[in-house]
Amino acid sequence: MSKSDFPSKTVPAAKARSIGKVCAIVFGLLAVSIGIIAKVRPHLFMALPFPLSVILWTAAAGGEMPPYFTSAAWAEEEIKTWTKPNDVIVTPCVKCGTNWMLYCSHQIRMKGAADADELFEDVNLVTPWMDLVQSRDGSWAKQKDRYNDTVLPDGSHLKDKWDSDRFPFRVFKSHYGPKETGGVISITGNPQLKFVAMTRYGLDVVNSIVPFFNNHNENFRKMWGGFPPASSGDITIDAEQHLTDLLPGGTLAHFYFGYVKSWWPLRNEPNVLLMHYADAIKDLKGTVKKMANFYDVKLSQSELNTVVKRCGFPHMKTIAHKFDYKMPFNNDAVFDNENDACMKRGTMIYKGGLGTHKATFTEEQIQRWSKAEEEEFGADSELLQWARNGGGF
């Protein structure tokens, strides 16, 4: 038998090298394609399933999280092109009474007028969220002029909703922190603007995020690559996941720890009103009076009583559908502008309260959070105490 009659031992090795070259080419082309998409049309990543969508959005495109946030409106020179003196920017920590403070601000500027609720058609029409990208391929540059020239389906003008002649000042929403401490918005550089910031005991924030994420409209979730993720159906799994996300080092740690540390050094600035959710829960009338004073609005006793009553949970629950967050600039096929909003109808308003985390988190999880608080805030005992419990400073 000659050598040629034996199987060649080099054939498998040759095939392996060939397969390796093909794989290298495929992966190389894939990497190049991802790179091109990231630079040219990064919003296409949002058509992918979660979590691949947000992994590529952040890692390849360098996108913000959440993917529908943009800080462009707050750039140092840009902010001066659309704001005017005495504008109020309500910018609490996520799940720390944002919609409550937006609505209270509206009622205060209206002095509890009989038609104040009628004018408060939808929170995002009347107190616009300038951070919100309303379409996958949207941007601040594309949306900016539309705040002034959009005609809504009923023939009314969007500008008349948020810039009404009836309002002594305008109110806008944000979740960004001060540029002076590593955030986005220049506070001391814009003394003509007023900023309302609010935080809450951190584990109550995490506890509130669990239903909040799940209550987003399904079509809104589809727009943004499955974010925020829906509930797993098991509260223990959801609680642990969100706890991990918000702890230092987590993907959403800036939501709480970063927020508190960024606003604390600016608490005494004349154009900043820093409050704690616990204090507002315990003394709503005192909170309304403090906000009115900050806004230079004088309320009679009757007006004060009306505003306080309307800003209470029982009344706000009756108008919960006004906090769904309509998106008039949206142009995505998966989203129905006539019927859809960011949130499932009427789910944004529910009684938060204090100590809500106790029904959700284990003692071990509570201890983990407490340790993180001490590591993040412990160098300043006053900050640590205030972040946990509120009170004066």
Side-chain angles (χ1 to χ4, degrees):
M1 185 177 288
S2 65
K3 289 184 179 181
S4 61
D5 293 324
F6 290 95
S8 172
K9 294 181 181 180
T10 62
V11 172
K15 285 185 177 180
R17 285 193 296 272
S18 177
I19 292 172
K21 288 180 180 178
V22 171
C23 289
I25 292 172
V26 170
F27 284 121
L29 290 173
L30 181 60
V32 170
S33 299
I34 289 174
I36 292 173
I37 293 172
K39 289 182 179 180
V40 180
R41 303 189 73 189
H43 63 276
L44 292 180
F45 291 139
M46 293 296 103
L48 299 172
F50 181 84
L52 179 61
S53 56
V54 296
I55 291 173
L56 291 177
W57 172 257
T58 54
E64 294 192 50
M65 279 298 290
Y68 41 85
F69 272 34
T70 177
S71 60
W74 308 106
E76 194 158 356
E77 294 305 317
E78 180 63 20
I79 192 173
K80 293 177 172 60
T81 68
W82 61 271
T83 58
K84 64 182 182 181
N86 293 318
D87 279 351
V88 169
I89 317 300
V90 176
T91 178
C93 175
V94 174
K95 303 315 299 170
C96 292
T98 305
N99 296 293
W100 192 18
M101 293 301 102
L102 288 169
Y103 183 68
C104 285
S105 298
H106 172 71
Q107 285 292 341
I108 290 168
R109 72 181 174 183
M110 292 294 296
K111 295 188 174 183
D115 62 347
D117 276 349
E118 182 181 344
L119 292 176
F120 197 81
E121 186 174 327
D122 177 85
V123 64
N124 199 38
L125 302 184
V126 181
T127 55
W129 185 9
M130 309 312 261
D131 311 352
L132 179 64
V133 178
Q134 297 190 25
S135 293
R136 279 181 180 169
D137 65 347
S139 66
W140 167 250
K142 292 179 180 180
Q143 294 182 173
K144 180 181 178 181
D145 290 341
R146 297 189 66 183
Y147 280 102
N148 295 308
D149 59 27
T150 294
V151 177
L152 299 171
D154 64 359
S156 61
H157 292 263
L158 175 60
K159 189 175 190 297
D160 294 338
K161 310 291 185 185
W162 60 269
D163 197 16
S164 170
D165 292 338
R166 295 281 305 280
F167 302 157
F169 56 86
R170 308 181 307 182
V171 179
F172 301 101
K173 170 184 171 177
S174 180
H175 280 308
Y176 286 108
K179 184 176 182 180
E180 290 83 349
T181 51
V184 170
I185 309 175
S186 176
I187 307 302
T188 57
N190 289 287
Q192 76 282 7
L193 306 179
K194 296 179 179 181
F195 298 89
V196 175
M198 178 177 273
T199 191
R200 182 182 186 183
Y201 172 59
L203 266 187
D204 284 349
V205 174
V206 183
N207 188 64
S208 186
I209 282 178
V210 174
F212 170 64
F213 272 22
N214 194 52
N215 286 336
H216 279 74
N217 180 296
E218 290 305 320
N219 287 335
F220 179 83
R221 205 188 313 277
K222 289 176 184 176
M223 277 175 54
W224 300 109
F227 190 90
S231 170
S232 67
D234 185 332
I235 187 64
T236 59
I237 294 175
D238 294 343
E240 176 60 29
Q241 181 60 59
H242 293 313
L243 176 66
T244 301
D245 288 342
L246 266 77
L247 280 168
T251 55
L252 301 177
H254 59 287
F255 270 16
Y256 181 72
F257 288 102
Y259 179 92
V260 175
K261 290 192 293 185
S262 71
W263 280 102
W264 182 249
L266 285 94
R267 63 193 181 280
N268 294 317
E269 290 297 324
N271 63 333
V272 171
L273 179 61
L274 177 60
M275 299 186 289
H276 199 284
Y277 184 88
D279 299 324
I281 287 286
K282 294 173 184 176
D283 183 12
L284 178 56
K285 178 175 283 190
T287 298
V288 169
K289 290 170 69 174
K290 183 182 294 186
M291 293 172 70
N293 182 62
F294 183 62
Y295 297 155
D296 294 320
V297 174
K298 295 186 184 300
L299 298 174
S300 69
Q301 189 59 49
S302 175
E303 290 167 343
L304 174 63
N305 292 340
T306 297
V307 171
V308 171
K309 183 176 181 180
R310 289 185 186 165
C311 292
F313 174 74
H315 176 73
M316 290 187 67
K317 190 66 177 175
T318 67
I319 57 168
H321 62 285
K322 292 177 179 284
F323 298 88
D324 292 344
Y325 283 83
K326 294 181 179 179
M327 299 198 300
F329 308 152
N330 182 269
N331 59 14
D332 291 289
V334 298
F335 196 85
D336 179 357
N337 277 14
E338 291 288 335
N339 301 302
D340 285 337
C342 292
M343 307 301 297
K344 296 175 184 175
R345 185 174 174 83
T347 60
M348 183 65 89
I349 303 300
Y350 55 94
K351 195 171 184 178
L354 306 177
T356 57
H357 68 282
K358 295 176 183 176
T360 303
F361 295 98
T362 66
E363 186 59 34
E364 185 274 332
Q365 290 172 320
I366 294 173
Q367 289 303 315
R368 253 195 292 161
W369 187 267
S370 295
K371 182 181 179 182
E373 287 178 317
E374 291 165 3
E375 291 174 349
E376 294 291 317
F377 306 144
D380 185 335
S381 59
E382 184 183 11
L383 169 58
L384 177 61
Q385 172 67 19
W386 183 80
R388 285 174 168 172
N389 305 305
F393 51 73

